[in-house]
Amino acid sequence: MTAADPCLNGHRLAAPAEATDDQPTTILENLGPLAGLPGEARYRPVVGKSPSMDEWNSDPSLWLTAEQVLKERAMGSRWTGIGLLTGQKVGRLCWLDFDGEETDPTTGELLRSASLDFETFFNRSVEQLPPSPINISGRPGRFRALFRVPLEWAEYLHGFSITSGESPTKSFEFLYEKAGGKLFHAVVEGMHPDGQGWFYRWKEGCSPAEVEIPDLPAWLIAGLVRHIAKKSWAQVEKLKEKEERGEGFGGGEAGPMDLLSPGQQRRCLRKMEKFWPYRGGEKEGLGSKGHYDVMRRLVLSLWKGIADESTFKLWLVDSDWDLKNDWSGAKGSHPVNGGELLSWVKSLATSDTQAEEVKPWAAAWQIAVENGWKPPSWAKPPRSIDAHTLSIRTKEKVEQLKKAMVLIDAMETPLDREMAYQNLKQDLGFRDREMLTVVKHLQEELAGDITDGGFLEDVLANAKPIDVAVERFLPFGAVTMLGADPGTGKSVFIYRIAEAAAYGRVFAGQLQTVQGNVLVVQRDESDANLNQKATLMGWKDPERRIAVKFRFSAGHFPELEKWIDEYQARYVVMDSFASLFAGGADLAESDAGIYLYKLNAIAARKGVAILLTHHLRKSAGSGDRQTVSLSDFYGSTFISAGTSDAWGLFKDPQAVQDEVAFVLKNVKPRSGIAQMGDTFRLLGSHEDLSLEVDSLNAVSDEVKDLREGELKLLKLLRQRDEHRPWLVVHPDQENEKDLRSETGLTERQLRRVLQSLVGSGKWGIKRKRVVMPGKGTNPMGYWI
């Protein structure tokens, strides 16, 4: 790079500009290889694969923004690339790292298979992953897929990754955080250290600027949880064996502290520290117990066990034990390096040649035991597990919660019920995690995720089809959540839904609705607010098909069912989640899960479509929101499990001046009536608060074309059978008709419509692979 041509991998640096109050100086015109990555992402310049700086993964001052790292990369000749940091503290980014496929050329024996390793962990194929940014290095067969850990799982996966040594053929890794929450990094741009002309880069068409970073799918998280549990029990078994051999817990392998939660670890330290030696203790009759080498092993084991400087400071610096120590030598002891606990342990960790011998937690635990500490039973690994008893106990907890909810609903007043729900966890004696697990089980059971199963043909024959309430948006029999930013008119949105659905009219100019009475449950607005909006909207209900309720709380579930019956409602629109169930305050996770479970149960029993509004977290940075994901929904682990579909509504950042435009994006399509990422652009009006669909997925007439295409498609599919099914695109287009030529839809539109129709289960569409000799492909054939 020269001064005359400041350029980095096609990434041009702008000439310095004079800063003004409203236009700060920027060093970059664009972010080049870092474009599309989230604003909270952080980076390090690298040499080969190394960030080449101590504490890079634990010191936030070394985590650079995109502009900072690109500037340092361009100005520092020693750097060969840029590493993207992963972990909870830098946008919850993570990598799925695939190290290729390899067989022995002589024996045909499988030597390495990332795809096989992946299936072993997750019981799914790599092809079932959602689209994501893909980074490649030039090394054949190797790639990394970039994902985001959902907010509700970020803390659970704290300090967790899967290294290649844990996979069967050592070819797959899950990279999120190191022990103690330290960050990982992976090179995304620059020269590969193995040479051979390899370079790290985004795969063509798969950069973050072209493909949105998705959340890890639920089935993949389930595989991670299974692996964590498997590793934990393996540790338990090792500890049991060591105890039976009388070896205690002081060795180099995992100890009981590794199996405790952070809160339990801190609690355990408070009990242990009373039995630790201290500098100066020898003058109080403790002999050699506070001598240098003993203390060195003690503090190093704590440093490695906690594995995070800020947590180490919080738990130990200025603790009773720390203050008893004569680190500085003021009381006659030989001073340690730095004269205090933190500086000494940091110097030991970086310079002590024997530091590697000290294992996390081991010395701290063993020294306390030697001095008379008796570990409490909750801090020891379990000696044995009775699977049958455990299973019965779990079922009892679930049934206990079900019975409690029935009793609460039988209480006389909504206030009594609301208070009972708020105290439910304490009254049942459930721990936090126990309550979360039981409620999650209930939600999955209600949603059909937990079934007795049976033969495939019987399961398919008894499967319940999805009934559409509002075309491509809202299903009957389930809860759909609409997360919205302030100022996007979410109340107007649900009023327009109510207006259209009550009379079977088209919503927003394009989406057809099924006619049905509507119950509006409103806590975010008063009757005066509603009247003001209704006047501007010209909203009338001459046939009295819309009922409104303003008083609602967590104690009103029995009343909600009565209102649905009284008004013969097929739609229930509710505004908003926190206001209705927590008076506008934050919802506790277990409470949110119970309320969503109750709403889903009502929706299923009554066959109603429930549309529930919710608030979104503020967008990263100070600019307008560019997109939305499920992790942007406020406050609860249970939203992803407790809703059928979820949509985000936000102002269109691309709107031109004076244009009122919004983006409505699908972030969870469980019902199948929409697809993940489906994006409506809506035009609004300040004058009459009207809404109009401008486009679907950037195509103006997409909804109309898809609707007409469905009718044509169903008619055509009924004309064929399994002996001569329709192909989307026939390889021999000159002599054979296909669905593309007969319907006039594009191939993309056709595949979208087919996916929707097949997924609904209503039309009896069948499909199979059709063998095409000599064509090199076996396309899917369809018929009814």
Side-chain angles (χ1 to χ4, degrees):
M1 190 182 80
T2 67
D5 183 24
C7 184
L8 170 63
N9 292 346
H11 173 92
R12 186 167 299 279
L13 305 181
E18 184 178 349
T20 63
D21 291 339
D22 59 350
Q23 184 63 48
T25 299
T26 178
I27 64 162
L28 300 169
E29 292 179 352
N30 61 70
L31 297 178
L34 308 185
L37 290 165
E40 64 267 39
R42 293 295 181 266
Y43 312 85
R44 283 297 308 163
V46 297
V47 177
K49 293 183 181 180
S50 172
S52 299
M53 188 168 291
D54 293 337
E55 305 299 325
W56 67 266
N57 55 7
S58 60
D59 183 353
S61 68
L62 301 177
W63 306 343
L64 305 184
T65 65
E67 289 199 357
Q68 288 170 336
V69 77
L70 284 164
K71 181 178 180 181
E72 187 161 340
R73 167 86 163 97
M75 302 303 178
S77 59
R78 73 191 188 100
W79 305 115
T80 65
I82 294 173
L84 173 65
L85 306 182
T86 67
Q88 183 178 357
K89 300 172 184 176
V90 286
R92 309 190 311 280
L93 297 176
C94 63
W95 290 103
L96 304 181
D97 192 350
F98 298 87
D99 201 19
E101 315 287 318
E102 183 181 350
T103 57
D104 188 301
T106 304
T107 65
E109 178 186 0
L110 184 67
L111 300 178
R112 186 175 63 188
S113 175
S115 59
L116 176 63
D117 289 352
F118 183 85
E119 291 182 26
T120 302
F121 285 117
F122 306 112
N123 300 322
R124 299 279 186 106
S125 68
V126 178
E127 288 73 21
Q128 291 176 275
L129 284 170
S132 69
I134 301 294
N135 197 265
I136 57 179
S137 63
R139 179 176 171 180
R142 179 162 190 171
F143 68 93
R144 283 185 265 108
L146 184 62
F147 281 79
R148 192 193 301 262
V149 173
L151 182 64
E152 59 268 25
W153 288 99
E155 180 59 32
Y156 183 89
L157 296 176
H158 172 78
F160 174 71
S161 290
I162 296 176
T163 62
S164 60
E166 299 172 56
S167 57
T169 73
K170 298 178 173 51
S171 300
F172 171 78
E173 295 183 313
F174 168 73
L175 306 178
Y176 179 53
E177 291 183 348
K178 297 184 179 183
K182 290 187 177 181
L183 308 187
F184 255 113
H185 89 287
V187 183
V188 294
E189 174 277 323
M191 185 182 300
H192 195 290
D194 292 346
Q196 304 188 50
W198 294 345
F199 286 87
Y200 293 101
R201 63 194 185 279
W202 298 109
K203 183 179 178 182
E204 186 175 353
C206 295
S207 72
E210 298 165 298
V211 180
E212 183 178 352
I213 302 171
D215 282 353
L216 291 172
W219 55 264
L220 193 143
I221 291 175
L224 297 177
V225 172
R226 284 194 300 268
H227 185 66
I228 291 172
K230 183 179 178 180
K231 287 179 65 176
S232 295
W233 286 118
Q235 291 177 348
V236 167
E237 292 303 317
K238 287 182 179 180
L239 290 168
K240 285 161 54 181
E241 291 173 4
K242 292 184 69 174
E243 187 178 27
E244 289 169 0
R245 294 195 300 265
E247 297 179 11
F249 300 125
E253 295 179 350
M257 291 290 281
D258 297 295
L259 304 180
L260 302 179
S261 69
Q264 290 174 318
Q265 288 176 346
R266 186 176 189 182
R267 180 181 168 195
C268 206
L269 290 182
R270 287 290 168 264
K271 294 182 178 296
M272 264 194 268
E273 69 176 351
K274 298 175 183 177
F275 297 85
W276 289 335
Y278 52 91
R279 298 291 286 166
E282 61 272 18
K283 298 187 180 300
E284 298 181 15
L286 296 179
S288 64
K289 291 185 177 180
H291 284 188
Y292 185 90
D293 189 59
V294 175
M295 298 300 293
R296 179 188 70 85
R297 290 190 298 111
L298 172 60
V299 299
L300 275 174
S301 72
L302 292 168
W303 178 259
K304 290 185 175 183
I306 295 172
D308 180 75
E309 181 177 335
S310 60
T311 306
F312 185 92
K313 290 163 63 176
L314 178 66
W315 288 6
L316 291 174
V317 173
D318 291 334
S319 66
D320 290 343
W321 171 77
D322 178 30
L323 295 175
K324 286 169 66 175
N325 275 280
D326 181 19
W327 304 116
S328 66
K331 298 179 182 178
S333 298
H334 189 279
V336 300
N337 187 16
E340 60 179 10
L341 172 61
L342 185 62
S343 59
W344 185 44
V345 72
K346 290 174 71 174
S347 70
L348 287 174
T350 57
S351 62
D352 191 335
T353 57
Q354 296 177 308
E356 287 298 318
E357 300 174 3
V358 180
K359 303 303 177 184
W361 301 119
W365 179 286
Q366 197 67 21
I367 289 171
V369 170
E370 291 171 356
N371 288 336
W373 178 56
K374 297 187 181 303
S377 59
W378 55 263
K380 292 183 177 181
R383 293 180 178 272
S384 62
I385 295 293
D386 184 338
H388 179 67
T389 303
L390 187 62
S391 176
I392 292 175
R393 192 184 307 133
T394 301
K395 291 179 181 177
E396 287 176 347
K397 294 285 187 182
V398 173
E399 291 305 314
Q400 192 178 357
L401 180 56
K402 286 182 179 178
K403 290 177 181 178
M405 288 190 286
V406 172
L407 291 174
I408 291 174
D409 285 350
M411 291 180 177
E412 187 172 349
T413 69
L415 180 59
D416 290 335
R417 298 182 211 124
E418 184 177 9
M419 295 299 295
Y421 273 117
Q422 291 177 0
N423 297 318
L424 185 56
K425 181 177 67 177
Q426 291 81 2
D427 292 342
L428 292 176
F430 286 6
R431 298 187 299 273
D432 286 340
R433 182 166 291 187
E434 195 173 36
M435 187 72 168
L436 297 178
T437 301
V438 172
V439 175
K440 195 95 168 183
H441 181 96
L442 283 177
Q443 288 183 331
E444 292 169 348
E445 185 180 77
L446 180 65
D449 289 343
I450 300 176
T451 64
D452 291 335
F455 289 107
L456 176 62
E457 291 298 319
D458 297 332
V459 171
L460 296 180
N462 294 324
K464 184 179 178 182
I466 300 295
D467 290 326
V468 179
V470 177
E471 182 184 15
R472 307 190 187 282
F473 176 68
L474 190 66
F476 283 118
V479 175
T480 297
M481 185 165 281
L482 175 70
D485 280 328
T488 51
K490 62 180 174 59
S491 298
V492 170
F493 185 97
I494 65 170
Y495 294 157
R496 287 297 186 188
I497 286 279
E499 175 188 42
Y503 290 87
R505 297 170 184 159
V506 174
F507 168 67
Q510 290 205 42
L511 305 184
Q512 294 179 338
T513 66
V514 174
Q515 191 277 324
N517 290 352
V518 182
L519 172 63
V520 178
V521 182
Q522 178 61 268
R523 277 293 295 269
D524 274 2
E525 295 194 335
S526 65
D527 55 353
N529 298 136
L530 174 59
N531 180 58
Q532 182 184 39
K533 287 186 171 69
T535 300
L536 289 171
M537 293 167 59
W539 188 13
K540 303 292 183 183
D541 181 27
E543 299 182 24
R544 303 175 73 82
R545 296 182 179 179
I546 302 172
V548 185
K549 293 290 182 179
F550 290 99
R551 296 187 62 186
F552 189 88
S553 70
H556 280 82
F557 287 113
E559 283 76 10
L560 181 60
E561 293 202 59
K562 291 177 183 177
W563 296 336
I564 291 171
D565 292 339
E566 179 183 351
Y567 299 114
Q568 298 181 335
R570 293 211 68 194
Y571 295 81
V572 180
V573 293
M574 308 182 74
D575 191 24
S576 62
F577 194 24
S579 297
L580 291 165
F581 294 101
D586 289 339
L587 282 159
E589 288 188 349
S590 56
D591 292 343
I594 289 175
Y595 302 149
L596 286 171
Y597 167 77
K598 295 288 291 182
L599 287 177
N600 271 295
I602 291 172
R605 280 198 301 271
K606 301 296 182 181
V608 296
I610 296 182
L611 177 60
L612 175 64
T613 69
H614 195 31
H615 297 285
L616 295 176
R617 299 175 182 277
K618 290 183 179 180
S619 60
S622 58
D624 293 332
R625 184 185 299 280
Q626 299 298 310
T627 188
V628 67
S629 66
L630 197 58
S631 61
D632 292 319
F633 283 57
Y634 255 111
S636 175
T637 303
F638 289 91
I639 289 172
S640 59
T643 58
S644 169
D645 291 21
W647 297 79
L649 181 67
F650 58 98
K651 292 179 180 178
D652 183 3
Q654 306 301 321
V656 299
Q657 189 174 7
D658 298 329
E659 184 181 41
V660 182
F662 307 99
V663 175
L664 177 67
K665 180 181 176 182
N666 185 280
V667 296
K668 185 191 175 190
R670 183 183 190 127
S671 71
I673 64 175
Q675 294 185 21
M676 175 68 83
D678 270 356
T679 303
F680 290 96
R681 187 173 191 265
L682 304 175
L683 296 178
S685 167
H686 290 306
E687 286 76 18
D688 61 1
L689 305 184
S690 62
L691 290 172
E692 179 183 351
V693 172
D694 179 53
S695 65
L696 169 59
N697 299 330
V699 180
S700 297
D701 293 324
E702 181 83 341
V703 176
K704 176 175 173 289
D705 290 345
L706 291 174
R707 185 187 305 126
E708 293 175 352
E710 285 182 355
L711 297 175
K712 290 180 183 178
L713 204 54
L714 290 170
K715 184 177 180 180
L716 288 167
L717 291 175
R718 292 189 178 100
Q719 298 172 5
R720 296 283 181 96
D721 57 26
E722 63 178 317
H723 303 295
R724 193 165 176 261
W726 283 103
L727 304 184
V728 174
V729 179
H730 201 288
D732 187 6
Q733 296 178 41
E734 293 184 4
N735 301 308
E736 294 287 347
K737 295 180 179 179
D738 57 29
L739 291 175
R740 184 175 64 176
S741 61
E742 292 297 298
T743 62
L745 297 176
T746 66
E747 182 178 350
R748 183 188 67 82
Q749 289 175 320
L750 269 171
R751 296 196 184 281
R752 175 187 173 82
V753 171
L754 281 166
Q755 182 177 344
S756 175
L757 293 176
V758 171
S760 73
K762 291 176 59 175
W763 305 104
I765 297 175
K766 298 178 176 60
R767 56 184 178 170
K768 70 174 184 180
R769 290 286 178 185
V770 179
V771 178
M772 307 290 290
K775 298 296 183 182
T777 181
N778 296 322
M780 191 71 72
Y782 299 86
W783 75 94
I784 293 179

